[in-house]
Amino acid sequence: MKKTHIAFVLCALLAAGAGVAEDAKNTDSPDTLIATVNGTAYRLDVFRQFFMERLQAQQGGNDNPAFQQQVFDEFMGLIVASQEGDRRKLQDERNVLAALELDRMKVMSNAALSAMANEIEPTDKELKEAYEKAKEQATRTEYKARHILVKEEDEAKKLIKQLDKGTDFTELAKKNSLGPTGKEGGELGWFDPSQMVAPFSEAIAKLKPGTYTKEPVHTQFGWHVIELQETRKAEPPAFEDAKPQLTAVLKRQKIGQKINEMRSSAMVELNEEVVRLKPEDEAAPAVDAPKAD
């Protein structure tokens, strides 16, 4: 296929089914080919699947011509390399057969999970119960603080003494802090403590609004003097805003339960030559009996 034809094929890929253009709709058939390479035909649907897999790892839209060209070139490379595998008659190799079977299982598993998800529709009651539970778990304290970062502990101790004498925290930060927030007076804004390294989070959790650390706090970045300005309770999203995420969570939970039920009811005959089952008393670690005095 010549490169002048690639733009049309990719346009068909992106527009098919979206009502963008009539000629794109005409290509939306399971039998539509994207190319014939060395006499072998390749369906557009296969390329679409390959394109979507690559798109998931790509930041940005699928309308980037350079990205489209890159994916097409990769697909063509995949074609000629797989044809070489066929030429070498590698399809019957033991590891190739195992990999093909594993890939088939993964594809069928994903298709089944997707079909199961489409059949599940959580009730409003389930969604509201999940929302209330998530609200309780999401209730956390956020902090607004500022800090001064220096290299040496003694420097931090000197700054604390200046604060004790009433020196302005903002001015000290602007003059002394090595951190990127130094020029803003050390302002960190609002944050969740989990966003900070452990020693910093632990120190700020012990402070009351309007107070600062009386001892320098050491992290891998250096020595900190921290002032806590305010605290607040994080507000959870509204129910309607959280509904899509809650629906996805409940679907995953229900699918997980269904898979566990299927595993429990499955008739499994293990090959004991490769999977050795031990009775519980044999599998458990031996415990020495107490010795008589």
Side-chain angles (χ1 to χ4, degrees), residues 30-76:
D31 299 321
T32 302
L33 303 181
I34 188 173
T36 299
V37 182
N38 297 326
T40 301
Y42 293 88
R43 294 187 300 114
L44 178 58
D45 279 353
V46 177
F47 176 69
R48 280 182 175 152
Q49 186 66 35
F50 181 76
F51 186 90
M52 295 308 297
E53 289 178 0
R54 289 288 287 105
L55 186 61
Q56 288 177 357
Q58 166 75 9
Q59 292 185 350
N62 58 11
D63 58 346
N64 183 330
F67 174 68
Q68 294 175 1
Q69 183 66 57
Q70 177 186 338
V71 176
F72 184 84
D73 290 342
E74 290 177 6
F75 185 69
M76 294 300 292

Side-chain angles (χ1 to χ4, degrees), residues 78-91:
L78 179 65
I79 287 175
V80 296
S82 66
Q83 287 186 353
E84 177 64 13
D86 291 332
R87 188 189 69 79
R88 293 171 179 259
K89 302 185 184 305
L90 300 177
Q91 63 270 21

Side-chain angles (χ1 to χ4, degrees), residues 11 51 141 146 184-185 198 232 240 247-248 267:
C11 177
F51 186 90
T141 301
R146 51 188 177 181
E184 284 86 32
R232 69 182 181 188
E240 288 301 322
T247 299
M267 299 297 294

Side-chain angles (χ1 to χ4, degrees), residues 27 45 60 65 91 95 136 154 157 268 274 293:
T27 66
D45 279 353
Q91 63 270 21
N95 61 326
E136 291 177 9
D154 286 344
K157 288 182 176 180
V268 181
V274 294
D293 292 334

